[in-house]
Amino acid sequence: MNCPAGKISGLASSECTVCETGKYAEGAGNVECRFCDDWDVIKGSVTYSNGTKSSEGCICPAGEFHDDATFSCEKVLEGVKTNIAGMNVTTLDLKPGYWRTKVSSRDVTKCMSPEHCLGGSDINKQCKIGHQGPLCGVCSPGYASIGSGSSLKCMTCSGGDANQTIASYSTLLALLLAACVALSRFAAKKSEERNELKRAGSSREALDKLDQVAGKIEDFQPYAKILTSYLQIVAGLGFALDLAFPPLLTSIFEFFGSIVNLDFLNLMPLGCLSTYDYHRSLVVTTASPVLLSVMMMIWYRALIRARKQKAANALFGWFLFLSFLVLPSVSTKIFYNFA
């Protein structure tokens, strides 16, 4: 009996039999069904249902994909969904939080933040709106970055949110700088008052009060350095050890880390004001401390020539302190771009 594709008829049989799951019959007049699980087709493949009409209906089961290099079904890569059957290299369906370069790539990479990568099988729709590029870690045109690495967020430049954020953090930066200047001037003023009291022959009680104020400031410095070091280390743990903290904790670490590392630029969407990509960010982050150091050294030499030794010593102390602060942020930025 001349049976259609997907069915067979044995010798002297008066009816057609449907090919069972895992087999197929291509064309009409077949007397036997062929197995999909064969090197001539796809080793390890199955069919969706009974009555498969051609070898094109042979697919890899869920949890595997058709590797055209070996002509067999292989276990899916890490980051690929395991509940979808019939995948090949070009149709790999990624889990959210994973990314790959192109449809023919077998290299499935975990994104720095699961929020950046949507997954799926469409290469052009892997990234969250506003994100693009490798690991979806670059902001699209019309968006500006805030933060970096796993805490990167792309803020739209339309509306006033970006300008408000820039204004808020610029104000905060100005207040912090003003506080540092005020603290430095306060310490210098107290030192001058003590010298004047000494010259005037003031009582020991007045001198002791000034010494107490200076002592409290000096006693606070070790605690400030310990707290600063702690925040610098914690802020860099996610990048160095590939750790994923809860979103709220990540935001807190990012905020305080940017302050203690003097990395305020990462908190502001400067890309809305001008072209500010990661190349320029790297240049600004690495060049700014050098320029600031040169300016402080010129100022230091000027104070030495003016025979203001105490002021020069204080300035040099600030230079060492700033070097201590910027080293982690500059190192992280370099490793982040070239690691």
mmCIF file of all heavy atoms in Angstrom, residues 1-10 15-20 23-34 50-54:
data_model
loop_
_atom_site.group_PDB
_atom_site.id
_atom_site.type_symbol
_atom_site.label_atom_id
_atom_site.label_comp_id
_atom_site.label_asym_id
_atom_site.label_seq_id
_atom_site.Cartn_x
_atom_site.Cartn_y
_atom_site.Cartn_z
ATOM 1 N N MET A 1 0.856 -1.201 0.000
ATOM 2 C CA MET A 1 0.000 0.000 0.000
ATOM 3 C C MET A 1 0.882 1.238 0.000
ATOM 4 O O MET A 1 1.864 1.309 0.729
ATOM 5 C CB MET A 1 -0.917 -0.015 1.235
ATOM 6 C CG MET A 1 -1.950 1.099 1.215
ATOM 7 S SD MET A 1 -3.108 0.949 2.583
ATOM 8 C CE MET A 1 -4.170 2.365 2.265
ATOM 9 N N ASN A 2 0.572 2.194 -0.831
ATOM 10 C CA ASN A 2 1.379 3.420 -0.969
ATOM 11 C C ASN A 2 0.933 4.444 0.087
ATOM 12 O O ASN A 2 0.023 5.236 -0.137
ATOM 13 C CB ASN A 2 1.223 3.988 -2.374
ATOM 14 C CG ASN A 2 2.225 5.107 -2.637
ATOM 15 O OD1 ASN A 2 3.255 5.190 -1.986
ATOM 16 N ND2 ASN A 2 1.914 5.941 -3.610
ATOM 17 N N CYS A 3 1.617 4.423 1.233
ATOM 18 C CA CYS A 3 1.251 5.315 2.357
ATOM 19 C C CYS A 3 1.952 6.667 2.224
ATOM 20 O O CYS A 3 3.081 6.753 1.703
ATOM 21 C CB CYS A 3 1.637 4.684 3.682
ATOM 22 S SG CYS A 3 0.732 3.157 4.032
ATOM 23 N N PRO A 4 1.323 7.743 2.723
ATOM 24 C CA PRO A 4 1.943 9.074 2.650
ATOM 25 C C PRO A 4 3.094 9.208 3.643
ATOM 26 O O PRO A 4 3.329 8.326 4.473
ATOM 27 C CB PRO A 4 0.789 10.013 3.010
ATOM 28 C CG PRO A 4 -0.084 9.188 3.908
ATOM 29 C CD PRO A 4 -0.013 7.777 3.353
ATOM 30 N N ALA A 5 3.789 10.323 3.566
ATOM 31 C CA ALA A 5 4.904 10.598 4.482
ATOM 32 C C ALA A 5 4.425 10.582 5.929
ATOM 33 O O ALA A 5 3.333 11.052 6.246
ATOM 34 C CB ALA A 5 5.528 11.953 4.161
ATOM 35 N N GLY A 6 5.227 9.999 6.778
ATOM 36 C CA GLY A 6 4.863 9.907 8.188
ATOM 37 C C GLY A 6 4.180 8.616 8.547
ATOM 38 O O GLY A 6 3.948 8.345 9.725
ATOM 39 N N LYS A 7 3.901 7.805 7.509
ATOM 40 C CA LYS A 7 3.231 6.517 7.731
ATOM 41 C C LYS A 7 3.922 5.434 6.900
ATOM 42 O O LYS A 7 4.595 5.720 5.914
ATOM 43 C CB LYS A 7 1.751 6.600 7.347
ATOM 44 C CG LYS A 7 0.946 7.588 8.185
ATOM 45 C CD LYS A 7 -0.519 7.600 7.752
ATOM 46 C CE LYS A 7 -1.329 8.595 8.599
ATOM 47 N NZ LYS A 7 -2.765 8.598 8.212
ATOM 48 N N ILE A 8 3.740 4.195 7.324
ATOM 49 C CA ILE A 8 4.334 3.067 6.599
ATOM 50 C C ILE A 8 3.297 1.971 6.438
ATOM 51 O O ILE A 8 2.281 1.937 7.142
ATOM 52 C CB ILE A 8 5.570 2.514 7.338
ATOM 53 C CG1 ILE A 8 5.172 2.008 8.736
ATOM 54 C CG2 ILE A 8 6.666 3.567 7.411
ATOM 55 C CD1 ILE A 8 6.275 1.231 9.446
ATOM 56 N N SER A 9 3.611 1.076 5.524
ATOM 57 C CA SER A 9 2.754 -0.090 5.310
ATOM 58 C C SER A 9 3.656 -1.287 5.065
ATOM 59 O O SER A 9 4.510 -1.263 4.180
ATOM 60 C CB SER A 9 1.826 0.123 4.105
ATOM 61 O OG SER A 9 1.089 -1.056 3.840
ATOM 62 N N GLY A 10 3.464 -2.341 5.858
ATOM 63 C CA GLY A 10 4.260 -3.546 5.682
ATOM 64 C C GLY A 10 3.808 -4.321 4.457
ATOM 65 O O GLY A 10 2.807 -3.994 3.795
ATOM 66 N N GLU A 15 -3.436 -1.407 5.458
ATOM 67 C CA GLU A 15 -3.598 -0.112 6.106
ATOM 68 C C GLU A 15 -2.226 0.501 6.436
ATOM 69 O O GLU A 15 -1.212 -0.194 6.438
ATOM 70 C CB GLU A 15 -4.427 -0.228 7.384
ATOM 71 C CG GLU A 15 -3.828 -1.145 8.419
ATOM 72 C CD GLU A 15 -4.696 -1.276 9.663
ATOM 73 O OE1 GLU A 15 -5.898 -0.954 9.630
ATOM 74 O OE2 GLU A 15 -4.121 -1.671 10.701
ATOM 75 N N CYS A 16 -2.249 1.801 6.678
ATOM 76 C CA CYS A 16 -1.016 2.542 6.981
ATOM 77 C C CYS A 16 -0.858 2.690 8.491
ATOM 78 O O CYS A 16 -1.837 2.903 9.219
ATOM 79 C CB CYS A 16 -1.037 3.924 6.339
ATOM 80 S SG CYS A 16 -1.050 3.884 4.521
ATOM 81 N N THR A 17 0.375 2.582 8.925
ATOM 82 C CA THR A 17 0.692 2.727 10.349
ATOM 83 C C THR A 17 1.506 3.999 10.566
ATOM 84 O O THR A 17 2.487 4.250 9.845
ATOM 85 C CB THR A 17 1.502 1.526 10.861
ATOM 86 O OG1 THR A 17 0.751 0.323 10.613
ATOM 87 C CG2 THR A 17 1.790 1.668 12.346
ATOM 88 N N VAL A 18 1.091 4.784 11.551
ATOM 89 C CA VAL A 18 1.782 6.041 11.843
ATOM 90 C C VAL A 18 3.117 5.753 12.529
ATOM 91 O O VAL A 18 3.190 4.904 13.432
ATOM 92 C CB VAL A 18 0.921 6.936 12.762
ATOM 93 C CG1 VAL A 18 1.685 8.198 13.151
ATOM 94 C CG2 VAL A 18 -0.376 7.310 12.063
ATOM 95 N N CYS A 19 4.181 6.476 12.096
ATOM 96 C CA CYS A 19 5.488 6.326 12.744
ATOM 97 C C CYS A 19 5.401 6.823 14.193
ATOM 98 O O CYS A 19 4.830 7.877 14.473
ATOM 99 C CB CYS A 19 6.557 7.121 11.997
ATOM 100 S SG CYS A 19 6.989 6.427 10.382
ATOM 101 N N GLU A 20 5.985 6.043 15.087
ATOM 102 C CA GLU A 20 5.928 6.398 16.496
ATOM 103 C C GLU A 20 6.911 7.519 16.817
ATOM 104 O O GLU A 20 7.745 7.903 15.984
ATOM 105 C CB GLU A 20 6.223 5.169 17.359
ATOM 106 C CG GLU A 20 7.566 4.556 17.087
ATOM 107 C CD GLU A 20 7.718 3.192 17.724
ATOM 108 O OE1 GLU A 20 6.712 2.468 17.855
ATOM 109 O OE2 GLU A 20 8.859 2.858 18.091
ATOM 110 N N LYS A 23 10.754 8.521 15.491
ATOM 111 C CA LYS A 23 10.995 7.993 14.152
ATOM 112 C C LYS A 23 10.294 8.878 13.124
ATOM 113 O O LYS A 23 9.425 9.683 13.447
ATOM 114 C CB LYS A 23 10.478 6.561 14.032
ATOM 115 C CG LYS A 23 11.165 5.568 14.959
ATOM 116 C CD LYS A 23 10.611 4.173 14.760
ATOM 117 C CE LYS A 23 11.294 3.161 15.675
ATOM 118 N NZ LYS A 23 10.754 1.791 15.472
ATOM 119 N N TYR A 24 10.658 8.687 11.861
ATOM 120 C CA TYR A 24 10.045 9.461 10.779
ATOM 121 C C TYR A 24 10.029 8.623 9.505
ATOM 122 O O TYR A 24 10.785 7.646 9.362
ATOM 123 C CB TYR A 24 10.812 10.756 10.540
ATOM 124 C CG TYR A 24 12.175 10.563 9.916
ATOM 125 C CD1 TYR A 24 12.355 10.711 8.538
ATOM 126 C CD2 TYR A 24 13.295 10.227 10.690
ATOM 127 C CE1 TYR A 24 13.604 10.517 7.954
ATOM 128 C CE2 TYR A 24 14.539 10.036 10.120
ATOM 129 C CZ TYR A 24 14.692 10.189 8.758
ATOM 130 O OH TYR A 24 15.921 9.986 8.173
ATOM 131 N N ALA A 25 9.174 9.014 8.574
ATOM 132 C CA ALA A 25 9.108 8.387 7.252
ATOM 133 C C ALA A 25 8.998 9.506 6.229
ATOM 134 O O ALA A 25 7.993 10.214 6.178
ATOM 135 C CB ALA A 25 7.923 7.442 7.162
ATOM 136 N N GLU A 26 10.049 9.649 5.420
ATOM 137 C CA GLU A 26 10.121 10.760 4.478
ATOM 138 C C GLU A 26 9.627 10.318 3.109
ATOM 139 O O GLU A 26 10.077 9.303 2.568
ATOM 140 C CB GLU A 26 11.571 11.253 4.386
ATOM 141 C CG GLU A 26 11.707 12.599 3.717
ATOM 142 C CD GLU A 26 13.045 13.244 3.999
ATOM 143 O OE1 GLU A 26 13.825 12.684 4.802
ATOM 144 O OE2 GLU A 26 13.306 14.317 3.443
ATOM 145 N N GLY A 27 8.692 11.052 2.534
ATOM 146 C CA GLY A 27 8.133 10.707 1.237
ATOM 147 C C GLY A 27 7.072 9.615 1.359
ATOM 148 O O GLY A 27 6.760 9.127 2.448
ATOM 149 N N ALA A 28 6.509 9.207 0.229
ATOM 150 C CA ALA A 28 5.439 8.205 0.219
ATOM 151 C C ALA A 28 6.004 6.823 -0.101
ATOM 152 O O ALA A 28 7.094 6.680 -0.640
ATOM 153 C CB ALA A 28 4.374 8.597 -0.803
ATOM 154 N N GLY A 29 5.232 5.798 0.265
ATOM 155 C CA GLY A 29 5.594 4.434 -0.090
ATOM 156 C C GLY A 29 6.635 3.805 0.808
ATOM 157 O O GLY A 29 7.317 2.867 0.378
ATOM 158 N N ASN A 30 6.788 4.253 2.028
ATOM 159 C CA ASN A 30 7.781 3.679 2.929
ATOM 160 C C ASN A 30 7.245 2.407 3.570
ATOM 161 O O ASN A 30 6.057 2.291 3.896
ATOM 162 C CB ASN A 30 8.145 4.675 4.033
ATOM 163 C CG ASN A 30 8.938 5.853 3.495
ATOM 164 O OD1 ASN A 30 10.108 5.714 3.168
ATOM 165 N ND2 ASN A 30 8.283 7.011 3.401
ATOM 166 N N VAL A 31 8.171 1.471 3.809
ATOM 167 C CA VAL A 31 7.791 0.222 4.458
ATOM 168 C C VAL A 31 8.323 0.160 5.886
ATOM 169 O O VAL A 31 7.989 -0.779 6.620
ATOM 170 C CB VAL A 31 8.311 -0.992 3.646
ATOM 171 C CG1 VAL A 31 7.628 -1.055 2.286
ATOM 172 C CG2 VAL A 31 9.830 -0.932 3.505
ATOM 173 N N GLU A 32 9.152 1.131 6.254
ATOM 174 C CA GLU A 32 9.644 1.181 7.627
ATOM 175 C C GLU A 32 9.950 2.624 8.037
ATOM 176 O O GLU A 32 10.247 3.457 7.173
ATOM 177 C CB GLU A 32 10.887 0.310 7.801
ATOM 178 C CG GLU A 32 12.086 0.778 7.021
ATOM 179 C CD GLU A 32 13.315 -0.068 7.285
ATOM 180 O OE1 GLU A 32 13.241 -0.972 8.132
ATOM 181 O OE2 GLU A 32 14.349 0.192 6.653
ATOM 182 N N CYS A 33 9.878 2.887 9.317
ATOM 183 C CA CYS A 33 10.210 4.218 9.848
ATOM 184 C C CYS A 33 11.682 4.246 10.235
ATOM 185 O O CYS A 33 12.235 3.247 10.714
ATOM 186 C CB CYS A 33 9.361 4.524 11.088
ATOM 187 S SG CYS A 33 7.582 4.579 10.788
ATOM 188 N N ARG A 34 12.290 5.370 10.037
ATOM 189 C CA ARG A 34 13.699 5.526 10.369
ATOM 190 C C ARG A 34 13.850 6.228 11.718
ATOM 191 O O ARG A 34 13.052 7.103 12.080
ATOM 192 C CB ARG A 34 14.421 6.333 9.286
ATOM 193 C CG ARG A 34 14.423 5.671 7.921
ATOM 194 C CD ARG A 34 15.292 6.432 6.962
ATOM 195 N NE ARG A 34 16.694 6.477 7.420
ATOM 196 C CZ ARG A 34 17.643 7.151 6.797
ATOM 197 N NH1 ARG A 34 17.358 7.861 5.705
ATOM 198 N NH2 ARG A 34 18.880 7.143 7.266
ATOM 199 N N ASN A 50 3.977 11.712 17.053
ATOM 200 C CA ASN A 50 3.921 10.612 16.090
ATOM 201 C C ASN A 50 3.735 11.162 14.679
ATOM 202 O O ASN A 50 3.301 12.287 14.476
ATOM 203 C CB ASN A 50 2.750 9.671 16.412
ATOM 204 C CG ASN A 50 2.921 9.013 17.775
ATOM 205 O OD1 ASN A 50 4.040 8.871 18.255
ATOM 206 N ND2 ASN A 50 1.804 8.593 18.375
ATOM 207 N N GLY A 51 4.066 10.343 13.699
ATOM 208 C CA GLY A 51 3.778 10.692 12.302
ATOM 209 C C GLY A 51 4.686 11.760 11.722
ATOM 210 O O GLY A 51 4.260 12.505 10.835
ATOM 211 N N THR A 52 5.916 11.843 12.169
ATOM 212 C CA THR A 52 6.855 12.833 11.625
ATOM 213 C C THR A 52 7.161 12.501 10.173
ATOM 214 O O THR A 52 7.469 11.348 9.836
ATOM 215 C CB THR A 52 8.150 12.852 12.455
ATOM 216 O OG1 THR A 52 7.806 13.175 13.811
ATOM 217 C CG2 THR A 52 9.125 13.885 11.929
ATOM 218 N N LYS A 53 7.117 13.513 9.305
ATOM 219 C CA LYS A 53 7.171 13.286 7.860
ATOM 220 C C LYS A 53 8.558 13.418 7.243
ATOM 221 O O LYS A 53 8.728 13.093 6.077
ATOM 222 C CB LYS A 53 6.204 14.253 7.164
ATOM 223 C CG LYS A 53 4.756 14.069 7.592
ATOM 224 C CD LYS A 53 3.836 15.058 6.888
ATOM 225 C CE LYS A 53 2.386 14.861 7.319
ATOM 226 N NZ LYS A 53 1.477 15.827 6.639
ATOM 227 N N SER A 54 9.516 13.969 7.976
ATOM 228 C CA SER A 54 10.863 14.105 7.417
ATOM 229 C C SER A 54 11.890 14.220 8.539
ATOM 230 O O SER A 54 11.531 14.403 9.714
ATOM 231 C CB SER A 54 10.951 15.325 6.504
ATOM 232 O OG SER A 54 10.920 16.514 7.255
#
